[in-house]
Short mmCIF file of all heavy atoms in Angstrom, two decimals:
data_model
loop_
_atom_site.label_atom_id
_atom_site.label_comp_id
_atom_site.label_asym_id
_atom_site.label_seq_id
_atom_site.Cartn_x
_atom_site.Cartn_y
_atom_site.Cartn_z
N VAL A 1 131.50 122.74 -1.47
CA VAL A 1 130.43 121.82 -1.91
C VAL A 1 130.79 120.39 -1.71
O VAL A 1 131.75 119.87 -2.26
CB VAL A 1 130.10 122.05 -3.35
CG1 VAL A 1 128.95 121.06 -3.80
CG2 VAL A 1 129.62 123.55 -3.68
N GLU A 2 129.98 119.76 -0.88
CA GLU A 2 130.31 118.32 -0.44
C GLU A 2 129.36 117.36 -1.35
O GLU A 2 128.30 117.86 -1.60
CB GLU A 2 129.91 118.08 0.99
CG GLU A 2 130.71 118.88 1.99
CD GLU A 2 130.00 120.22 2.36
OE1 GLU A 2 129.05 120.71 1.62
OE2 GLU A 2 130.41 120.91 3.32
N SER A 3 129.95 116.29 -1.53
CA SER A 3 129.27 115.29 -2.40
C SER A 3 129.69 113.93 -2.03
O SER A 3 130.79 113.74 -1.37
CB SER A 3 129.32 115.49 -3.77
OG SER A 3 130.59 115.41 -4.23
N GLY A 4 128.91 112.92 -2.42
CA GLY A 4 129.38 111.49 -2.16
C GLY A 4 128.67 110.75 -1.17
O GLY A 4 128.90 109.52 -1.01
N GLY A 5 127.80 111.38 -0.49
CA GLY A 5 127.15 110.60 0.49
C GLY A 5 126.06 109.73 0.04
O GLY A 5 125.78 109.66 -1.25
N GLY A 6 125.45 109.00 0.90
CA GLY A 6 124.38 108.06 0.50
C GLY A 6 124.16 107.11 1.60
O GLY A 6 124.52 107.20 2.67
N LEU A 7 123.33 106.00 1.17
CA LEU A 7 122.87 104.99 2.01
C LEU A 7 123.75 103.78 1.72
O LEU A 7 123.84 103.36 0.59
CB LEU A 7 121.38 104.66 1.82
CG LEU A 7 120.95 103.44 2.52
CD1 LEU A 7 120.94 103.67 4.09
CD2 LEU A 7 119.38 103.17 2.08
N VAL A 8 124.39 103.18 2.83
CA VAL A 8 125.32 102.11 2.63
C VAL A 8 125.00 101.05 3.87
O VAL A 8 124.64 101.52 4.88
CB VAL A 8 126.69 102.52 2.57
CG1 VAL A 8 127.11 103.20 3.87
CG2 VAL A 8 127.62 101.34 2.18
N GLN A 9 125.19 99.88 3.58
CA GLN A 9 125.15 98.88 4.78
C GLN A 9 126.36 98.85 5.62
O GLN A 9 127.46 99.36 5.16
CB GLN A 9 124.97 97.55 4.19
CG GLN A 9 123.52 97.27 3.50
CD GLN A 9 123.35 95.78 3.14
OE1 GLN A 9 124.34 95.03 2.81
NE2 GLN A 9 122.04 95.31 3.11
N SER A 10 126.08 98.50 6.79
CA SER A 10 127.26 98.42 7.75
C SER A 10 128.35 97.56 7.25
O SER A 10 128.14 96.53 6.56
CB SER A 10 126.80 97.66 9.03
OG SER A 10 127.87 97.66 9.96
N GLY A 11 129.61 98.03 7.34
CA GLY A 11 130.77 97.42 6.68
C GLY A 11 131.14 97.94 5.28
O GLY A 11 132.12 97.59 4.76
N GLY A 12 130.26 98.78 4.78
CA GLY A 12 130.46 99.25 3.48
C GLY A 12 131.46 100.39 3.45
O GLY A 12 131.99 100.80 4.48
N SER A 13 131.58 100.95 2.15
CA SER A 13 132.52 102.10 2.05
C SER A 13 131.78 103.25 1.24
O SER A 13 130.91 102.95 0.41
CB SER A 13 133.62 101.66 1.32
OG SER A 13 134.46 100.68 1.97
N LEU A 14 132.19 104.47 1.49
CA LEU A 14 131.88 105.65 0.75
C LEU A 14 133.14 106.48 0.64
O LEU A 14 133.95 106.46 1.38
CB LEU A 14 130.71 106.41 1.38
CG LEU A 14 129.36 105.82 1.28
CD1 LEU A 14 128.43 106.70 2.22
CD2 LEU A 14 128.82 105.94 -0.16
N ARG A 15 133.05 107.38 -0.46
CA ARG A 15 134.08 108.28 -0.66
C ARG A 15 133.53 109.79 -0.76
O ARG A 15 132.68 109.91 -1.79
CB ARG A 15 134.93 108.05 -1.90
CG ARG A 15 136.14 108.99 -1.99
CD ARG A 15 136.80 108.76 -3.29
NE ARG A 15 138.12 109.40 -3.39
CZ ARG A 15 138.83 109.85 -4.49
NH1 ARG A 15 138.10 109.85 -5.70
NH2 ARG A 15 140.02 110.34 -4.48
N LEU A 16 133.63 110.58 0.10
CA LEU A 16 133.14 111.98 0.11
C LEU A 16 134.24 112.90 -0.61
O LEU A 16 135.40 112.70 -0.46
CB LEU A 16 132.90 112.47 1.50
CG LEU A 16 132.00 111.53 2.31
CD1 LEU A 16 131.75 112.32 3.63
CD2 LEU A 16 130.68 111.19 1.64
N SER A 17 133.60 113.80 -1.29
CA SER A 17 134.43 114.81 -1.95
C SER A 17 134.07 116.12 -1.48
O SER A 17 132.86 116.41 -1.15
CB SER A 17 134.33 114.80 -3.47
OG SER A 17 134.79 113.59 -3.92
N CYS A 18 134.91 117.17 -1.53
CA CYS A 18 134.66 118.61 -1.13
C CYS A 18 135.39 119.49 -2.08
O CYS A 18 136.50 119.44 -2.06
CB CYS A 18 135.09 118.96 0.35
SG CYS A 18 134.95 120.57 0.76
N ALA A 19 134.59 120.20 -2.94
CA ALA A 19 135.20 121.01 -3.87
C ALA A 19 135.10 122.49 -3.50
O ALA A 19 134.03 122.85 -3.08
CB ALA A 19 134.53 120.83 -5.32
N ALA A 20 136.10 123.30 -3.64
CA ALA A 20 136.05 124.64 -3.18
C ALA A 20 136.21 125.62 -4.38
O ALA A 20 137.04 125.32 -5.27
CB ALA A 20 137.09 124.89 -2.11
N SER A 21 135.46 126.77 -4.28
CA SER A 21 135.87 127.85 -5.19
C SER A 21 136.99 128.57 -4.62
O SER A 21 136.99 128.85 -3.44
CB SER A 21 134.58 128.71 -5.45
OG SER A 21 134.22 129.22 -4.13
N GLY A 22 137.80 129.07 -5.46
CA GLY A 22 138.94 129.89 -4.90
C GLY A 22 140.07 128.99 -4.48
O GLY A 22 139.96 127.87 -4.17
N SER A 23 141.29 129.49 -4.57
CA SER A 23 142.51 128.73 -4.15
C SER A 23 142.92 128.93 -2.88
O SER A 23 143.78 129.45 -2.43
CB SER A 23 143.61 129.35 -5.12
OG SER A 23 143.93 130.61 -4.92
N ILE A 24 142.00 128.23 -1.94
CA ILE A 24 142.36 128.34 -0.44
C ILE A 24 143.05 127.05 -0.05
O ILE A 24 143.73 127.08 1.14
CB ILE A 24 141.04 128.51 0.31
CG1 ILE A 24 140.19 127.34 0.17
CG2 ILE A 24 140.42 129.81 -0.05
CD1 ILE A 24 138.99 127.29 1.26
N PHE A 25 142.87 125.91 -0.69
CA PHE A 25 143.40 124.65 -0.01
C PHE A 25 144.93 124.70 0.12
O PHE A 25 145.35 124.12 1.13
CB PHE A 25 142.93 123.55 -1.02
CG PHE A 25 141.58 123.12 -0.90
CD1 PHE A 25 140.99 122.44 -2.02
CD2 PHE A 25 140.77 123.36 0.16
CE1 PHE A 25 139.72 122.01 -1.82
CE2 PHE A 25 139.54 123.00 0.36
CZ PHE A 25 138.90 122.29 -0.70
N SER A 26 145.53 125.28 -0.81
CA SER A 26 146.94 125.18 -0.80
C SER A 26 147.61 125.86 0.47
O SER A 26 148.72 125.48 0.96
CB SER A 26 147.64 125.77 -1.91
OG SER A 26 147.40 127.19 -2.00
N ILE A 27 146.91 126.77 1.19
CA ILE A 27 147.51 127.39 2.33
C ILE A 27 146.77 127.11 3.67
O ILE A 27 147.30 127.41 4.76
CB ILE A 27 147.41 128.93 2.12
CG1 ILE A 27 146.00 129.46 1.98
CG2 ILE A 27 148.31 129.37 0.97
CD1 ILE A 27 145.94 131.04 1.95
N TYR A 28 145.55 126.45 3.54
CA TYR A 28 144.85 126.24 4.79
C TYR A 28 144.85 124.77 5.07
O TYR A 28 144.70 123.92 4.27
CB TYR A 28 143.33 126.71 4.58
CG TYR A 28 143.15 128.06 4.64
CD1 TYR A 28 142.50 128.87 3.66
CD2 TYR A 28 143.66 128.97 5.61
CE1 TYR A 28 142.31 130.13 3.57
CE2 TYR A 28 143.42 130.32 5.67
CZ TYR A 28 142.80 130.90 4.61
OH TYR A 28 142.58 132.21 4.69
N SER A 29 144.86 124.51 6.40
CA SER A 29 144.43 123.20 6.87
C SER A 29 142.88 123.01 6.62
O SER A 29 142.16 123.96 6.71
CB SER A 29 144.81 122.93 8.44
OG SER A 29 146.14 122.95 8.63
N MET A 30 142.49 121.75 6.27
CA MET A 30 141.15 121.52 6.02
C MET A 30 140.71 120.37 6.91
O MET A 30 141.48 119.48 7.32
CB MET A 30 141.04 121.08 4.49
CG MET A 30 141.27 122.31 3.48
SD MET A 30 140.17 123.77 3.68
CE MET A 30 138.70 123.01 3.19
N GLY A 31 139.41 120.29 7.08
CA GLY A 31 138.84 119.30 7.89
C GLY A 31 137.45 118.76 7.40
O GLY A 31 136.81 119.42 6.72
N TRP A 32 137.16 117.48 7.78
CA TRP A 32 135.92 116.93 7.60
C TRP A 32 135.25 116.91 8.98
O TRP A 32 135.78 116.45 10.04
CB TRP A 32 135.98 115.48 7.11
CG TRP A 32 136.10 115.52 5.52
CD1 TRP A 32 137.32 115.24 4.88
CD2 TRP A 32 135.09 115.65 4.51
NE1 TRP A 32 137.12 115.36 3.52
CE2 TRP A 32 135.73 115.62 3.31
CE3 TRP A 32 133.77 115.99 4.61
CZ2 TRP A 32 135.05 115.74 2.12
CZ3 TRP A 32 133.01 116.14 3.30
CH2 TRP A 32 133.73 115.96 2.20
N TYR A 33 133.97 117.37 9.04
CA TYR A 33 133.21 117.37 10.27
C TYR A 33 131.99 116.65 10.06
O TYR A 33 131.48 116.41 8.84
CB TYR A 33 132.88 118.83 10.58
CG TYR A 33 134.08 119.74 10.73
CD1 TYR A 33 134.64 120.22 9.66
CD2 TYR A 33 134.54 120.11 12.02
CE1 TYR A 33 135.77 121.04 9.83
CE2 TYR A 33 135.51 121.01 12.23
CZ TYR A 33 136.23 121.57 11.08
OH TYR A 33 137.30 122.39 11.23
N ARG A 34 131.21 116.18 11.21
CA ARG A 34 130.01 115.57 10.88
C ARG A 34 129.02 116.01 12.08
O ARG A 34 129.48 116.30 13.24
CB ARG A 34 130.04 114.10 10.82
CG ARG A 34 130.58 113.34 12.14
CD ARG A 34 130.69 111.93 11.97
NE ARG A 34 131.15 111.15 13.13
CZ ARG A 34 131.60 109.94 13.18
NH1 ARG A 34 131.58 109.15 12.00
NH2 ARG A 34 131.90 109.44 14.32
N GLN A 35 127.73 115.84 11.76
CA GLN A 35 126.74 116.23 12.82
C GLN A 35 125.69 115.10 12.72
O GLN A 35 125.02 115.06 11.70
CB GLN A 35 126.18 117.51 12.64
CG GLN A 35 125.33 118.02 13.85
CD GLN A 35 124.97 119.47 13.75
OE1 GLN A 35 125.17 120.14 12.83
NE2 GLN A 35 124.57 120.12 14.91
N ALA A 36 125.52 114.34 13.79
CA ALA A 36 124.50 113.47 13.90
C ALA A 36 123.24 114.08 14.59
O ALA A 36 123.34 115.11 15.27
CB ALA A 36 124.85 112.24 14.66
N PRO A 37 122.04 113.64 14.25
CA PRO A 37 120.90 114.22 14.85
C PRO A 37 120.91 114.25 16.40
O PRO A 37 121.25 113.23 17.10
CB PRO A 37 119.61 113.23 14.40
CG PRO A 37 120.19 112.73 13.24
CD PRO A 37 121.64 112.42 13.31
N GLY A 38 120.62 115.47 16.97
CA GLY A 38 120.68 115.64 18.39
C GLY A 38 122.09 115.67 18.98
O GLY A 38 122.15 115.69 20.20
N SER A 39 123.10 115.81 18.23
CA SER A 39 124.43 115.89 18.52
C SER A 39 125.22 117.17 18.07
O SER A 39 124.69 117.72 17.05
CB SER A 39 125.25 114.68 18.06
OG SER A 39 124.63 113.53 18.66
#
């Protein structure tokens, strides 16, 4: 479950969080991905 997104002006900051059910983080590599419209 991802959270923390929003609308921000250029030059601003945001902090995204991703919470997982189950204890998978300790053994897996994790990544943040993004998808822009049309991409």
Side-chain angles (χ1 to χ4, degrees):
V1 180
E2 302 91 347
S3 62
L7 173 63
V8 64
Q9 288 189 331
S10 182
S13 298
L14 284 173
R15 189 194 194 204
L16 306 183
S17 299
C18 169
S21 61
S23 56
I24 65 170
F25 283 159
S26 63
I27 62 173
Y28 287 126
S29 291
M30 298 295 297
W32 280 100
Y33 304 77
R34 69 185 180 187
Q35 187 168 21
S39 299

